Every structure is written in structure tokens, then in C-alpha cells.
Amino acid sequence: MKILMPLPQGDFDPSEVAMSWSILRDAGHEIIFATPAGQIAAADPIMLSGIGLDFWSRIPILRHLKLIGLLLRAKPWARRAYVHLQDDANFRVPQSYADLRAADFAGLILPGGHAQGMKLYLESKPLQDLVVEFFEADKPVGAICHGVLLAARSISPHTGLSVLHGRRTTALTWQQERTAWRLNRYAGRFWDPDYYRTYREGADEPEGFWSVEAEVKRLLAKPEDFLDVPRDDAHHFAKTSGIVFDSLDNAKPAWIVRDRNYVSARWPGDVHTFAKTFLQLLATPDN
């Protein structure tokens, strides 16, 4: 099956893109990529290298010395997958957003990322219209992290509502976004304190108003349709600590929400289970 994965021109999360691609490819599917103008995309370089996340990173002689950078950069398995992704023929010759039609694909994957290059992807009207096509055709859609924000912003012309209105979802939570933001702001990249905040609040807006979680909630039928890990979950610490990642053989740290032909996840720590759940949607698209 052909699966579409649109990307921004730059700054996408390497873990969410490369591991989703790897798992779907290994299951026999062809992943087609697209960018705003059909030019090859590039991942967030800071997430790949970790350089620039420590407070001493602006000092040339210390630039490559990493501490927080080692903690927050993409995991080795994700960096390896990204190396292989760069050799993929479809990745190297992406389509352009304007040429995409939902009818040409069996499903859609919306990855995330937090750096400023994500905005052209998150705010693209042609891409939002395409997301609506997929939802209204009842085709499988998977969204992770900021990819859920793109889905939530996709407004159906028939209803005037988000395609996620009436559905349950998760996404990058405010707790996760705030934790990374504060760590970066006070112990890391202090000269760029909003690196982990794609959108920031105005002077008269409460903190977190433009977080992923808050904006997605405002576009749902009711805030309760945004699902986070319940406190009584048997693996609550693993799912919420921010230091435990899932794997192909261990879904316990992951938090995935499935609603009909739509599956969502929060962050790179969910990506293996996210991609495997999307494979289930492809196998049983009407469930």
C-alpha cells in the first residue's frame, strides 16, 4: 500500500519520521513523502546531534561537549533509521503539497517536531485540506506530537468543524512541552529559550494557552476527548517520566489513543507502538 507522509521543508522530528517510515516499510508498504514545494526535507539538526542544547554550546571550543544534548537528542535507533531514510528514493524525490490527492493513498501519517521550521507545515492550507480529504474518505490517519495539531486545525468545509471534533485523541501534553521548555530555558539553550515552544503566548494570555494540548482541546467537541495517561495506569511512571521510550517489543511506556480509523500518540517515546497500531488500521480500516 502507498502511505503518504507529508513533511515540512526542515525541522521535523527525526525519530517520529524515520521510525514510522522504517516500521511501515518493513511491513511491505511504500511511503511517499511530500514537502511544500517538492524539495528534499531535512530533520531538526539539533535533535540529530544534540549540539546546541547545553548552556556552553555557544563557546566554540566546548560546542561538541554534550550533556543535556545527549539526554534530549534522538536515540541511537532513531538516528540510525534516519541515515537509512536519507537513502530512500521516495524521500529524496518528494512530491509537493499542491499535487497531493487522498485518493492516491491508502493512509496518512502526520509526524511532528517543535522547532520553528514546523510552522509552514502546521499552517499549510493545502495540507489541511488534504487531511480533511483523508478523514472524510474514512482512510487510516495516524498523527503524533505536533502532527495532531495539524489534524486538529483541519476544518471540514461541510461541518465548519475540525476533523477531530467528535473524536478522542492524545498529543504532546502540556506537561511534556513545559518540562522540555523549562529545562532548555534554565539549564540549556538559554539564548533561544523558546526552542521547545513552536507557538508562544501573548502578554495577556495564560501560560500554555498556545501549547499543543491546549489548542487541540479547543478544537475538540469537548476537552475530555483529549486523553492523557490516567493516574491509575499500571505503567504510569514509564509513560509519563519522559525518560522511558517504547520499543518494538515493549509497548508499556507508550500511550496511544485509537478512535475508529484514527490513531494518535504524544512524542518520540511512543513511536514504535504508534507505527504498529497504524499498521493495524491498515489491516482493518473499517474498525
Side-chain angles (χ1 to χ4, degrees):
M1 294 183 182
K2 285 188 176 182
I3 310 302
L4 175 64
M5 189 185 299
L7 301 174
Q9 192 63 61
D11 281 345
F12 63 79
D13 183 86
S15 305
E16 295 166 6
V17 171
M19 283 312 304
S20 296
W21 164 80
S22 178
I23 292 169
L24 293 173
R25 178 206 57 181
D26 289 349
H29 300 289
E30 181 182 8
I31 294 79
I32 305 300
F33 297 92
T35 56
Q39 297 177 329
I40 190 169
D44 181 347
I46 295 175
M47 285 292 97
L48 285 170
S49 69
I51 296 173
L53 290 172
D54 292 281
F55 69 84
W56 55 75
S57 297
R58 301 189 83 182
I59 303 173
I61 196 171
L62 299 177
R63 177 173 172 77
H64 293 275
L65 178 63
K66 299 184 288 287
L67 181 61
I68 292 177
L70 290 177
L71 174 67
L72 296 181
R73 73 175 179 174
K75 299 299 182 184
W77 41 263
R79 300 198 306 274
R80 288 193 296 268
Y82 183 69
V83 170
H84 293 300
L85 171 64
Q86 291 176 293
D87 291 329
D88 180 81
N90 290 334
F91 180 79
R92 297 183 66 83
V93 186
Q95 299 185 23
S96 64
Y97 290 171
D99 295 333
L100 300 173
R101 301 293 181 270
D104 297 331
F105 304 97
L108 174 68
I109 291 281
L110 301 175
H114 57 264
Q116 292 300 299
M118 290 294 296
K119 286 184 174 179
L120 289 178
Y121 164 84
L122 296 172
E123 298 170 7
S124 169
K125 184 61 165 59
L127 204 48
Q128 291 171 11
D129 291 343
L130 181 72
V131 173
V132 172
E133 284 186 40
F134 273 91
F135 272 92
E136 295 192 341
D138 289 326
K139 294 194 172 189
V141 177
I144 182 169
C145 193
H146 283 63
V148 179
L149 183 56
L150 171 57
R153 289 176 172 181
S154 300
I155 307 300
S156 168
H158 302 108
T159 66
L161 299 170
S162 167
V163 295
L164 296 188
H165 193 274
R167 293 181 184 264
R168 293 169 299 164
T169 190
T170 192
L172 182 72
T173 67
W174 173 227
Q175 178 184 351
Q176 291 173 313
E177 190 171 353
R178 179 175 53 190
T179 298
W181 174 47
R182 288 180 174 175
L183 179 61
N184 175 74
R185 190 176 186 180
Y186 299 115
R189 194 179 173 85
F190 65 88
W191 63 92
D192 183 17
D194 296 331
Y195 169 65
Y196 279 98
R197 295 295 311 279
T198 313
Y199 296 95
R200 279 302 313 278
E201 292 74 34
D204 298 326
E205 295 170 329
E207 185 177 82
F209 184 81
W210 290 112
S211 66
V212 173
E213 177 179 345
E215 185 175 352
V216 169
K217 279 182 174 179
R218 290 194 293 271
L219 291 162
L220 301 178
K222 54 184 186 295
E224 293 78 15
D225 285 340
F226 186 100
L227 303 183
D228 198 359
V229 183
R231 291 188 176 275
D232 61 354
D233 188 285
H235 305 289
H236 186 271
F237 175 79
K239 294 179 189 297
T240 61
S241 67
I243 59 175
V244 184
F245 287 63
D246 76 346
S247 68
L248 285 174
D249 302 318
N250 181 18
K252 293 178 181 178
W255 177 247
I256 306 295
V257 173
R258 177 175 173 177
D259 189 328
R260 291 163 278 173
N261 288 354
Y262 167 65
V263 60
S264 56
R266 305 166 300 169
W267 72 307
D270 299 332
V271 70
H272 296 86
T273 310
F274 166 73
K276 290 174 69 175
T277 305
F278 185 78
L279 286 175
Q280 295 172 9
L281 292 187
L282 293 173
T284 56
D286 296 326
N287 295 332

